Amino acid sequence: MIREIPRMWEQKDYSFEGNGWSVPGPHNILPKPYGVGHPPIWVACGNPETFAKAGSLGIGAIAFNFEPIHNLKGRLEAYKEAAESPVEIIGQFQNNNVMMTNGVICLEDRDRAREIAKAQGRGYLVTMVNLYHDTMPKSPDGITWPNAPASTLIEWTDEMLDQIIEAGYMLCGNPEEVSEQLEAYQSVGCDQVVFGLPIEGMQHEEIKEMLEIFGDQVIPEFDKDPVHSTTRMRETAKPKYPAFTSELPEEVNEVTIIPDSAILPLSA
């Protein structure tokens, strides 16, 4: 299936016949990607074999860290090793990228950030992730929905929170602390880190504050290039398929008048 996506993006008379699904053609699959190339292609990864497979196909790897961040180093190395000599590039360009997903609470007031992290009732999102991402390695004591998260059963201490932060399960503190915590991701070979918002227990104004200070004080510490890495990759894109798989009828090539219906204003 994944090999068909770039063909859908490029061709205007797409068709496919397979065992599990088919697109009787010809069909012009819309919308087409805007600009140079196409959006980067990613695959969700958990097992070492999937990381290596993604690297060998020239596509990006997205993952959650259900275990201490340094435990992921071997998987990320497997991806990077395969990405050095991919056996196939699925899309128009290689998306040599490992992206990790995590949670962050970054405020100027570190005490308030830690207070939110220790609040009772947080963690339901993680129990849902443990339920649905059942092919990914996770902690033996990981709690799965509908069981209540640990924050409803115990009272979090500063020592417990420090252990969670040190292991890389979440980022928490002021901008300087969060920047230091992000270095652990960089050290194991992670290219990008993304965060889910809003964090349970945060007020609207606190979320706005976090977005601003993370963008102003944390991101510049790691991303020195004003051009996004994906933009640079897309600039190298090379089409792989002809726009039409079949030769167009001769009369189509002779059309010189644009139908009125093709230039009607959107309000019509």
Side-chain angles (χ1 to χ4, degrees):
M1 169 61 185
I2 195 171
R3 290 176 174 83
E4 293 302 304
I5 295 175
R7 202 158 71 84
M8 293 179 188
W9 283 334
E10 290 191 42
Q11 295 186 328
K12 298 180 180 179
D13 61 345
Y14 176 82
S15 63
F16 178 79
E17 291 293 335
N19 295 327
W21 62 282
S22 63
V23 178
H27 276 77
N28 186 17
I29 308 297
L30 299 174
K32 299 296 187 190
Y34 177 78
V36 178
H38 53 66
I41 301 175
W42 300 83
V43 63
C45 298
N47 297 309
E49 296 82 3
T50 311
F51 277 93
K53 183 71 171 180
S56 70
L57 296 178
I59 58 181
I62 303 178
F64 294 93
N65 57 309
F66 285 116
E67 53 192 320
I69 185 65
H70 291 288
N71 288 8
L72 296 170
K73 186 174 183 179
R75 269 165 260 179
L76 273 60
E77 288 177 345
Y79 174 90
K80 291 299 183 180
E81 182 178 350
E84 287 181 3
S85 302
V87 297
E88 179 184 1
I89 302 296
I90 293 293
Q92 295 181 358
F93 59 92
Q94 182 181 15
N95 181 27
N96 188 350
N97 250 321
V98 175
M99 177 189 293
M100 299 298 296
T101 303
N102 206 332
V104 61
I105 305 175
C106 181
L107 298 172
E108 293 287 4
D109 184 348
R110 76 178 297 269
D111 292 334
R112 173 56 182 158
R114 292 174 66 87
E115 177 186 349
I116 295 171
K118 295 184 295 181
Q120 283 198 328
R122 290 193 63 253
Y124 275 99
L125 174 61
V126 176
T127 68
M128 297 293 285
V129 172
N130 287 340
L131 173 66
Y132 290 108
H133 291 273
D134 56 357
T135 62
M136 296 184 181
K138 57 188 174 187
S139 172
D141 57 355
I143 298 175
T144 301
W145 191 90
N147 295 319
S151 63
T152 65
L153 307 175
I154 60 176
E155 184 174 344
W156 283 74
T157 65
D158 286 328
E159 291 75 17
M160 294 167 62
L161 178 59
D162 288 337
Q163 292 175 2
I164 292 295
I165 294 172
E166 184 177 358
Y169 287 114
M170 74 174 301
L171 293 86
C172 179
N174 58 36
E176 293 76 17
E177 291 173 308
V178 169
S179 294
E180 183 177 340
Q181 294 158 19
L182 273 172
E183 291 176 359
Y185 287 85
Q186 193 174 49
S187 69
V188 298
C190 185
D191 298 299
Q192 298 184 41
V193 183
V194 295
F195 307 101
L197 293 174
I199 295 293
E200 300 148 300
M202 293 190 73
Q203 301 299 314
H204 181 67
E205 292 302 318
E206 291 174 326
I207 295 172
K208 289 170 58 179
E209 176 192 344
M210 182 170 71
L211 291 172
E212 290 178 2
I213 64 175
F214 196 89
D216 291 341
Q217 301 182 43
V218 179
I219 291 179
E221 292 295 317
F222 298 90
D223 190 355
K224 308 294 185 181
D225 191 342
V227 180
H228 197 281
S229 59
T230 297
T231 301
R232 295 202 181 280
M233 292 179 187
R234 289 185 69 164
E235 290 173 348
T236 68
K238 297 180 180 179
K240 302 182 68 173
Y241 305 97
F244 293 92
T245 56
S246 303
E247 186 175 343
L248 295 177
E250 184 176 341
E251 57 269 20
V252 172
N253 294 322
E254 296 176 355
V255 173
T256 58
I257 300 175
I258 300 177
D260 291 340
S261 60
I263 55 176
L264 288 175
L266 294 178
S267 59

